[in-house]
Amino acid sequence: MEGISENLSRGSFRALGLYSNHLSHVVRYHKKHREFYIVTAVGNCFHTYNVKKLGIVAVSNALPEDISCLAADRMLVYVAIGGKVSAFARNKEVVHMYTGHGADVHLLLPFGDHIISVDRDNAVIVWDVESEEEYLQITFDKVSFEVSAVMHPSTYLNKILFGSSQGGLQLWNVKSNKLLYTFTGWPSGVTVLQQTPAVDVVGVGLSSGQIIIHNIKFDESLMKFQQDWGPVTSLSFRTDGHPVMAVGSPIGHIGLWDLEEKKLVCQMRDAHNTAIAGLTFLHGEPLLITNGADNGIRVWIFDTAGGGGRLLRSRLGHSAPPTKVRHHGLNGHHILSAGQDGTLQSFSTVHERFNRSLGHGSINKKKSKKKGLRYDKLKLPAITTFASESARQSDWDSIVACHRGYLMTTTWNYQKGSMGAHKLEPKRFNKNRALSVHATAVDITSCGNFVVIGLSSGHIDVYNMQSGMHRGQYGEDKAHSGAVRGVSVDGLNQLTVSAGADKLVNIWKFKSRKLVLSIDLGTSPATTHLHRDSGMFAIALDDFTLNVLDMETKRIVRKFSGHRGQVNDMAFSPDGRWLITAAMDCTIRTWDLPSGCLVDCFLVDFAAVSLTMSPTGDFLASSHVDNLGIYLWSNNTLCSMVSLRPLPADYEPTGIMLPGTYEEGEGDADLNTEMIEYESPEQLDEQLVTLSLLADSRWKNLLHLDIIKKRNKPKEPPKVPKAAPFFMPTIPGLIPQFSLAWALTKVLFGTTLHFKWHVPQANTMNNPSSSSFPPDNDPVGLLKEMGPSGIDAELRGLAPDMGGDVSVLQGFLKMVASMLDSKRDFDLAQAYLALFLKLHLRLISQEPGLMEEASKVSEKLEETWTSMQTLFNQSLCLLSYTKSALL
């Protein structure tokens, strides 16, 4: 897998579910396309989306560190990492670098042919974009004026307005490097400066939550507003004829203020789960774009009465790291993901438009839907584990989830994209609710009709998926004396296997729920995973080792050790050959079950908490600690030849960056130097029988040419041309002469090459590929270039009555004998010899010399075939044993 080590491959594919972070987005307009684009920062790269469909159109090359500031103009996108500023062209590659800051840059402002950057040490540098040279540097006293916001007032030539955390404003001419005016300001720090649709008027957002509409020409405040949600994080003004200002807050609410009536007209509560990082009204359109640190981009449209916006389209990921990922369905196109934010989401590996959110779990779904009420107490905690089955998803719920600390498990409907109809909870604990019993493991049968749930008390219950009714439990009292760590049902609903904290693995009859076998592991299991097709049950133990149980023989068939931390999750390849494990030691390892060896291991920066392999085997998906995305690793064994070499016990894995966090191909550079492309020789060994690479049609039908010719015989005789060709070929020269080669070609064809079989030296005939033959006189090489009809004509021409000779026939037999000795072109030797005997068998029986050569060829042929038959029998015997024996 890409990302599955030197043996398999090392190619990360891409990341899913990453859309935005805490930095404000940037809106760009493309004149040629006549379309708006959104640029958002995601870690150490940025994404570009079109507003029309919120489809991703570009992903930038990765930078060494996370982006700390983002800005853009008509041509370039500017990003800051630490004290460096980079300019990207075509949303992809870096074309300019600006270095000179002594601290981290936190503000950027494109300004015509210049870019203005502000760092944490309060240094302001104006750069020339093309030359990358410093045009001007301004230093402010951090105590009296710490720059916290910067903007260019519309129509103010060469003027820049700076806002400070002390509350004051300063207007500078950056061309002459002069301070033009100092505004007294306000007691609270300035957080946002935004140009209004009116000239000379700017919007000022303060850390106190106050919004000031200020005229900078007369230094006069025109109006003031106050929001109760904390500091102002962003400002934007409508430009489609409605005097409305949108204000962002740190708690995810958006306030809409009417500037004519000077009042609050609407509140868009919970627009984001976190602070509003940025909001922008599109020029001349009733569309508002917002993004936040909750990993979401939303587009709101204002087309309803009341002045509020409704959600038009969005791109949403997890706002907290996902803890469990599983493929849903048999095509491998959808990945279900449960996150610490309490949501269950589905991500498509094909296109983002197929992504969907199944929502947040709730105790009472109807009450939670009521408008104007926030039932935080009704929200269920995060999902710890879940199981899904697509067999009956069109008939009833197809997903069952366990919630952190909850005894109740919830069902979800994938097709409806919401919570399901049932909440599964055993009645045995109704009288004693104080017991801290919760669901720990769950599995749905392959038919989609039943769900098996394991509890921390050791009980295992069976429910019907359609009705939600309890159908029984395993064991008379409990299935295990400790908490259930894993439970699975085989593919035919015959056996149920469970693992508990009592160090036991129990195998039960699914229907009768009777215990069949109990296996003592010696160590408590941490997690389990069943591959239904092969019946292999993987068990990760608390001592960081792995056991593989064969459900058919009911024995432990493999044991693996090597992880140095708790094993978080496991996944099987579709064919059951590989077991892929992820542990807290930040490694992802691939174990080959038939050989019992570690064949791949690589190191990531953040430990993987969950793994899932696609049913088609093309991708491995992983989720990681403190990361919001789902990362795909491509299986390169599907598209290239990869050698599976066992890794040594002391193998030190190499580190790999997560997919989407580095430019494709960079991570493979060190491996490409080690992997040498193998070129196969014409013959691997002199003792091995080697076939030619010629197509079967060149030699397979040599014995049946007469039948083929008879079948392809034309129905009508060929028509004689009425006249000679209009253009006769001529020989170049001063005197024109007609060329007769075209007329003689058919006469001479088949009668010239037979002279090359007659070689005076006998030793050269024994090795037709020896240096005694000129390159164009190699008999075998000449025959390889001919078609079946040409070969037939040549062999017929070897007879004395066709212009040949007995010595030529004898030389041909020696050539076949040498081919058998060298064991090369074995198939051609058989075909040529069969046709030769068919044509000249009577003549061979009449000539003693030919009979002697023919007997030598027969002995060599019988010797070779006897050796090959022995090898065939050995291989067939071994294959028959492996197919029938229970290993």
Side-chain angles (χ1 to χ4, degrees):
M1 310 202 161
E2 212 175 292
I4 278 190
S5 151
E6 286 127 33
N7 274 351
L8 302 184
S9 58
R10 188 67 67 88
S12 52
F13 183 56
R14 65 188 179 104
L16 302 176
L18 292 176
Y19 301 106
S20 173
N21 62 6
H22 63 283
L23 298 179
S24 175
H25 66 266
V26 179
V27 175
R28 308 177 70 193
Y29 181 72
H30 198 290
K31 289 186 177 180
K32 185 177 181 180
H33 297 168
R34 295 184 179 180
E35 192 173 357
F36 287 98
Y37 293 92
I38 311 170
V39 181
T40 60
V42 179
N44 59 354
C45 63
F46 62 85
H47 296 177
T48 304
Y49 301 86
N50 55 26
V51 177
K52 185 182 296 183
K53 296 183 179 180
L54 274 188
I56 189 165
V57 296
V59 177
S60 72
N61 294 339
L63 293 164
E65 301 175 26
D66 286 350
I67 297 172
S68 59
C69 190
L70 183 68
D73 59 15
R74 189 174 61 87
M75 299 298 296
L76 301 173
V77 177
Y78 303 94
V79 299
I81 52 166
K84 298 180 180 180
V85 179
S86 303
F88 283 77
R90 294 174 293 277
N91 296 318
K92 192 72 177 175
E93 67 267 9
V94 176
V95 292
H96 297 295
M97 288 282 292
Y98 311 97
T99 57
H101 282 283
D104 292 348
V105 175
H106 69 105
L107 292 174
L108 288 174
L109 177 66
F111 185 59
D113 295 333
H114 300 82
I115 174 73
I116 301 172
S117 56
V118 184
D119 64 19
R120 296 292 181 183
D121 287 343
N122 227 26
V124 179
I125 301 180
V126 181
W127 306 90
D128 185 275
V129 172
E130 290 299 324
S131 65
E132 303 180 8
E133 295 178 354
E134 182 180 313
Y135 176 79
L136 174 67
Q137 181 167 353
I138 308 173
T139 304
F140 294 90
D141 183 9
K142 201 170 185 178
V143 177
S144 60
F145 195 91
E146 183 180 2
V147 179
S148 58
V150 59
M151 69 160 288
H152 165 58
S154 181
T155 72
Y156 280 56
L157 189 63
N158 301 325
K159 311 299 189 300
I160 296 296
L161 183 64
F162 295 99
S164 68
S165 58
Q166 287 79 14
L169 303 177
Q170 290 186 6
L171 185 65
W172 283 74
N173 187 317
V174 294
K175 186 175 182 180
S176 59
N177 191 16
K178 288 183 179 180
L179 173 62
L180 302 180
Y181 189 79
T182 300
F183 300 85
T184 305
W186 304 269
S188 300
V190 177
T191 57
V192 181
L193 290 174
Q194 182 65 40
Q195 177 70 50
T196 67
V199 179
D200 302 326
V201 181
V202 299
V204 183
L206 305 180
S207 59
S208 62
Q210 197 174 28
I211 306 103
I212 312 294
I213 306 300
H214 195 78
N215 189 313
I216 59 175
K217 184 175 182 179
F218 300 104
D219 191 10
E220 179 184 356
S221 295
L222 304 180
M223 57 189 78
K224 297 181 181 180
F225 306 98
Q226 179 68 46
Q227 72 171 9
D228 300 330
W229 302 323
V232 177
T233 59
S234 51
L235 284 174
S236 188
F237 298 87
R238 287 185 69 171
T239 56
D240 61 337
H242 296 267
V244 175
M245 174 182 64
V247 183
S249 68
I251 58 176
H253 302 334
I254 298 174
L256 298 174
W257 301 81
D258 191 313
L259 299 181
E260 283 187 353
E261 299 183 6
K262 300 181 181 180
K263 67 177 184 179
L264 181 68
V265 293
C266 186
Q267 297 179 10
M268 298 170 59
R269 289 181 173 266
D270 302 317
H272 287 269
N273 298 328
T274 59
I276 305 295
L279 51 82
T280 306
F281 278 108
L282 291 187
H283 182 72
E285 296 186 25
L287 296 178
L288 176 66
I289 300 170
T290 63
N291 78 298
D294 60 350
N295 195 22
I297 305 172
R298 290 175 169 89
V299 178
W300 310 83
I301 185 169
F302 294 82
D303 59 353
T304 58
R310 66 176 179 88
L311 186 63
L312 180 62
R313 60 182 71 95
S314 63
R315 286 285 179 262
L316 304 176
H318 284 292
S319 58
T323 56
K324 195 78 171 180
V325 293
R326 287 291 181 265
H327 274 88
H328 181 74
L330 301 178
N331 56 11
H333 292 169
H334 302 282
I335 299 176
L336 287 173
S337 171
Q340 295 178 10
D341 55 0
T343 62
L344 182 64
Q345 301 198 31
S346 173
F347 295 97
S348 172
T349 60
V350 179
H351 196 279
E352 291 174 340
R353 68 173 178 268
F354 301 121
N355 292 357
R356 60 196 306 189
S357 175
L358 280 72
H360 198 294
S362 176
I363 297 176
N364 193 318
K365 188 177 176 183
K366 292 183 179 178
K367 286 185 178 180
S368 297
K369 278 190 171 183
K370 287 186 178 180
K371 293 183 178 180
L373 297 177
R374 295 186 64 189
Y375 288 90
D376 288 339
K377 294 181 180 179
L378 296 180
K379 284 187 176 182
L380 287 171
I383 296 173
T384 55
T385 184
F386 66 88
S388 70
E389 179 56 55
S390 60
R392 301 299 294 272
Q393 67 178 9
S394 59
D395 300 323
W396 49 73
D397 300 341
S398 58
I399 304 169
V400 179
C402 303
H403 297 265
R404 185 174 60 244
Y406 264 67
L407 173 63
M408 175 183 66
T409 56
T410 56
T411 62
W412 300 71
N413 194 299
Y414 183 80
Q415 288 201 332
K416 293 181 180 178
S418 63
M419 277 191 66
H422 307 299
K423 295 176 178 61
L424 309 178
E425 184 177 2
K427 296 181 179 180
R428 70 174 69 91
F429 300 105
N430 286 351
K431 296 181 179 180
N432 192 353
R433 288 282 181 173
L435 292 175
S436 58
V437 180
H438 58 275
T440 57
V442 63
D443 191 30
I444 301 177
T445 58
S446 58
C447 61
N449 292 317
F450 298 97
V451 57
V452 183
I453 301 173
L455 307 179
S456 60
S457 60
H459 295 88
I460 299 178
D461 297 289
V462 183
Y463 296 87
N464 183 276
M465 283 292 291
Q466 182 179 10
S467 63
M469 297 180 63
H470 188 269
R471 293 303 187 191
Q473 69 175 39
Y474 288 91
E476 295 181 1
D477 182 25
K478 295 182 179 180
H480 292 273
S481 58
V484 178
R485 299 288 175 82
V487 61
S488 299
V489 184
D490 68 355
L492 299 176
N493 291 1
Q494 298 295 315
L495 297 175
T496 301
V497 58
S498 62
D502 54 1
K503 306 178 184 179
L504 296 178
V505 171
N506 292 337
I507 301 178
W508 313 80
K509 286 287 187 180
F510 176 75
K511 293 183 179 179
S512 64
R513 292 183 282 280
K514 293 182 179 179
L515 183 64
V516 176
L517 181 66
S518 185
I519 301 174
D520 189 0
L521 298 173
T523 307
S524 297
T527 183
T528 64
H529 186 69
L530 174 67
H531 186 257
R532 283 176 172 167
D533 292 343
S534 65
M536 293 296 171
F537 186 65
I539 311 161
L541 305 180
D542 284 340
D543 60 359
F544 314 149
T545 60
L546 304 166
N547 287 355
V548 180
L549 171 69
D550 187 352
M551 295 286 289
E552 185 175 353
T553 62
K554 300 177 179 61
R555 291 189 303 168
I556 301 292
V557 294
R558 290 290 184 270
K559 292 184 178 181
F560 302 114
S561 61
H563 279 295
R564 301 172 185 173
Q566 175 187 342
V567 178
N568 294 327
D569 203 3
M570 299 176 288
F572 280 97
S573 61
D575 57 1
R577 283 187 62 93
W578 296 340
L579 174 63
I580 307 164
T581 58
M584 290 304 294
D585 58 2
C586 295
T587 61
I588 298 178
R589 299 172 184 258
T590 303
W591 312 85
D592 187 65
L593 294 184
S595 64
C597 297
L598 175 69
V599 295
D600 180 50
C601 176
F602 64 96
L603 196 66
V604 289
D605 295 332
F606 303 92
V609 296
S610 186
L611 293 174
T612 176
M613 188 79 171
S614 67
T616 54
D618 48 359
F619 294 116
L620 172 71
S622 63
S623 62
H624 298 259
V625 174
D626 297 334
N627 281 267
L628 301 181
I630 298 172
Y631 300 93
L632 298 182
W633 312 82
S634 59
N635 186 355
N636 280 357
T637 59
L638 299 180
C639 52
S640 61
M641 194 67 186
V642 180
S643 174
L644 291 176
R645 302 186 307 272
L647 298 178
D650 57 348
Y651 176 75
E652 290 296 330
T654 55
I656 300 181
M657 298 180 72
L658 293 178
T661 58
Y662 67 97
E663 185 180 358
E664 187 177 352
E666 287 184 2
D668 300 333
D670 56 337
L671 294 178
N672 293 337
T673 58
E674 298 178 10
M675 300 298 290
I676 301 174
E677 185 177 354
Y678 177 75
E679 295 183 2
S680 176
E682 293 185 5
Q683 189 175 21
L684 297 178
D685 189 84
E686 295 181 356
Q687 303 300 320
L688 298 178
V689 171
T690 306
L691 304 181
S692 68
L693 298 179
L694 292 182
D696 292 352
S697 59
R698 302 285 295 274
W699 56 269
K700 208 168 186 178
N701 298 321
L702 286 175
L703 290 177
H704 310 291
L705 275 180
D706 50 350
I707 300 175
I708 296 173
K709 289 180 179 179
K710 185 177 181 180
R711 184 184 61 192
N712 296 339
K713 186 178 180 180
K715 297 180 181 180
E716 297 180 1
K719 296 181 179 180
V720 180
K722 298 180 180 180
F726 184 79
F727 293 103
M728 299 285 287
T730 58
I731 300 174
L734 295 176
I735 302 175
Q737 294 182 3
F738 291 110
S739 174
L740 300 180
W742 64 277
L744 298 177
T745 300
K746 187 170 182 63
V747 179
L748 297 178
F749 179 74
T751 62
T752 57
L753 296 179
H754 75 275
F755 293 107
K756 294 171 183 176
W757 302 114
H758 183 70
V759 182
Q761 295 85 358
N763 59 341
T764 57
M765 202 65 229
N766 292 332
N767 188 1
S769 300
S770 65
S771 58
S772 300
F773 277 105
D776 58 341
N777 284 350
D778 180 9
V780 180
L782 291 170
L783 287 177
K784 284 183 177 181
E785 296 176 359
M786 295 181 182
S789 298
I791 296 173
D792 181 78
E794 280 300 319
L795 295 191
R796 290 181 185 274
L798 299 180
D801 55 352
M802 295 293 292
D805 190 61
V806 174
S807 60
V808 178
L809 295 172
Q810 196 171 358
F812 181 85
L813 290 174
K814 290 181 179 179
M815 182 203 72
V816 174
S818 68
M819 293 174 69
L820 296 176
D821 281 340
S822 64
K823 298 185 178 181
R824 295 174 61 175
D825 300 323
F826 193 73
D827 48 352
L828 296 184
Q830 304 291 328
Y832 296 161
L833 181 61
L835 179 60
F836 180 80
L837 295 177
K838 177 183 177 181
L839 298 176
H840 308 294
L841 183 61
R842 179 172 297 180
L843 181 61
I844 293 175
S845 62
Q846 297 173 357
E847 295 289 338
L850 293 178
M851 282 294 296
E852 183 180 355
E853 287 295 334
S855 61
K856 293 180 181 179
V857 173
S858 178
E859 292 176 1
K860 292 180 180 179
L861 189 61
E862 185 177 356
E863 178 185 351
T864 307
W865 266 114
T866 302
S867 175
M868 289 186 64
Q869 191 66 41
T870 303
L871 295 176
F872 285 149
N873 291 337
Q874 291 177 355
S875 301
L876 291 173
C877 180
L878 180 62
L879 182 61
S880 176
Y881 172 73
T882 54
K883 288 174 64 177
S884 60
L886 289 176
L887 297 179

